[in-house]
Amino acid sequence: MPVTVITAKPQDSTHSPQTYRFIDPHLLVSVNLTDPVFRGLYHGRQKHDDDLEAMLERCRAARVQSMIITGTSLHESKEALKLAKQLGFYATVGCHPTRSAEFDKFRGGPGKYLEELDNLIAANLTGPGRVVAIGECGLDYDRLHFAKEDVQRRHFRAQLALAKKYHLPLFLHSRAAHADFVSILREEGFDKDGGSAAGGKGGVVHSFTGTPEEAIEVMDMGLHVSVNGCSLKTAENLATAKAIRPDKIMFETDAPWCTMTSTHASRAHLSSLSSSLNSVYFPQGTKPESFVYGRPVKGRNEPSAVGGVAWVIHKLNDGVPFEKVVEKGWKNTIELFGLTELQ
């Protein structure tokens, strides 16, 4: 929910957690911040107490200053806005490619669905919990059983029109569809400078798992690239992450998914994380069946881990201090989403 960090210089060589500030921009309202696992529900079974507030407290300890809750459908965009207003965060409005069949099934048809998204944006452009981006939208050819390619492409274009109408950045998704993804963006005027000539305001391709060449292509179009645990699984992933330019990088977690596990290529770089940072980014957890309130649940990713993502990028870029990596991510996020009140 998509991303970053910063500001003060480190107080000592141990990297005090209080030195840095983060924003986790990718918390999908359908499978993330409002996911039942944060209420103790797993596949409909209550395994432990509701611990959403405890999770948020751990985020504050890790200096996660705010979050962007991402809408993945019309209904979930409404829920994202409601939660963002309650918690003082931000939200996006849009329809994920795997949910894009909802346009055609909606009462009144695709035009009415788009109109409802439009109205939702128009009513929430200012104040606490406001809309700061259009999305999550894009293409996902890995999961065509949810929505066929032509359905995804058609409704991706429709949402690009909303971004241009309201001059809002895009929160983008691309899986196994890079050629069509960039082709549509170019055809709709997002071919350079983030689509500014067509009314666009850039955007970020979240949870990026493509090649270095693909990352460079989207950056050259004026878009940002965001990484999380799933972006750092393999040696090939790390090569892509290293290719992301400082002015285009962002950090996220995709909690409760995309954890950074011991089998990932990122683990070798996390081994150098200081104990003071490790204790707040990755606090020791328990299994759901052994739940202890105030401690995280094993296997459930949390926004506090965003600092660990930034640490891996720091280690991939030898000679660049952690605080500089964090500062760049923070600045990029503030500027792209217009979060000037956080400066």
Side-chain angles (χ1 to χ4, degrees):
M1 147 182 16
V3 173
T4 137
V5 260
I6 169 129
T7 90
K9 301 295 183 184
Q11 297 170 344
D12 56 51
S13 60
T14 62
H15 299 289
S16 166
Q18 299 308 309
T19 297
Y20 312 104
R21 294 187 295 175
F22 297 77
I23 303 168
D24 190 347
H26 188 70
L27 288 174
L28 295 181
V29 72
S30 62
V31 294
N32 289 44
L33 196 58
T34 58
D35 192 287
V37 299
F38 289 124
R39 306 292 185 176
L41 284 166
Y42 297 77
H43 305 291
R45 180 185 175 190
Q46 190 80 40
K47 289 192 175 183
H48 61 75
D49 294 340
D50 181 331
D51 71 331
L52 178 63
E53 182 52 42
M55 183 275 288
L56 293 174
E57 184 58 36
R58 288 189 289 274
C59 292
R60 289 187 281 268
R63 300 286 285 162
V64 176
Q65 299 293 289
S66 191
M67 303 183 196
I68 300 172
I69 307 173
T70 311
T72 55
S73 70
L74 175 59
H75 171 73
E76 289 161 4
S77 292
K78 293 176 180 178
E79 292 299 310
L81 284 163
K82 180 180 178 181
L83 191 56
K85 292 181 188 301
Q86 289 175 353
L87 299 176
F89 295 156
Y90 306 94
T92 77
V93 169
C95 187
H96 192 280
T98 62
R99 305 290 296 275
S100 56
E102 292 185 13
F103 276 86
D104 300 313
K105 297 175 182 178
F106 194 68
R107 184 186 304 176
K112 184 62 176 178
Y113 191 98
L114 186 67
E115 180 184 338
E116 291 293 321
L117 288 175
D118 193 323
N119 291 339
L120 195 59
I121 296 164
N124 292 279
L125 289 171
T126 60
R130 70 181 184 272
V131 178
V132 296
I134 304 301
E136 183 174 351
C137 59
L139 301 176
D140 190 323
Y141 290 177
D142 270 343
R143 293 175 282 181
L144 294 175
H145 53 289
F146 290 117
K148 299 299 183 183
E149 294 177 7
D150 63 319
V151 173
Q152 293 188 31
R153 290 192 292 264
R154 184 165 64 252
H155 302 309
F156 179 29
R157 289 182 187 275
Q159 293 178 82
L160 294 179
L162 293 177
K164 289 183 281 188
K165 177 179 179 178
Y166 290 103
H167 311 297
L168 285 170
L170 290 158
F171 197 84
L172 295 161
H173 177 104
S174 179
R175 283 287 182 277
H178 180 78
D180 282 357
F181 178 73
V182 297
S183 177
I184 290 173
L185 285 168
R186 292 183 189 282
E187 291 169 8
E188 295 296 329
F190 292 86
D191 54 325
K192 59 183 178 180
D193 195 26
S196 60
K201 195 183 176 184
V204 57
V205 186
H206 101 94
S207 192
F208 196 83
T209 56
T211 67
E213 294 75 19
E214 290 170 349
I216 290 169
E217 184 170 14
V218 298
M219 287 188 291
D220 286 348
M221 294 167 66
L223 300 172
H224 290 72
V225 180
S226 183
V227 294
N228 57 31
C230 290
S231 310
L232 306 170
K233 284 185 176 181
T234 68
E236 291 77 14
N237 291 154
L238 296 185
T240 295
K242 189 173 182 179
I244 302 172
R245 297 194 294 265
D247 65 319
K248 296 299 182 184
I249 197 162
M250 291 184 177
F251 312 120
E252 60 174 280
T253 62
D254 203 8
W257 317 116
C258 289
T259 54
M260 305 174 76
T261 74
S262 60
T263 63
H264 291 181
S266 59
R267 179 56 58 178
H269 299 291
L270 287 174
S271 64
S272 61
L273 194 62
S274 70
S275 59
S276 59
L277 292 183
N278 188 73
S279 65
V280 293
Y281 296 161
F282 304 103
Q284 185 176 3
T286 64
K287 293 181 179 180
E289 296 79 6
S290 306
F291 176 75
V292 176
Y293 192 86
R295 292 179 63 178
V297 177
K298 285 185 176 180
R300 187 185 72 180
N301 198 13
E302 295 192 356
S304 58
V306 69
V309 176
W311 182 265
V312 174
I313 300 303
H314 151 63
K315 297 300 292 185
L316 290 174
N317 291 273
D318 295 338
V320 181
F322 182 47
E323 64 269 22
K324 292 294 184 181
V325 173
V326 163
E327 179 176 3
K328 203 61 182 175
W330 172 268
K331 181 180 178 182
N332 292 343
T333 303
I334 294 296
E335 291 181 350
L336 178 65
F337 295 110
L339 312 182
T340 55
E341 64 269 31
L342 296 182
Q343 289 181 324

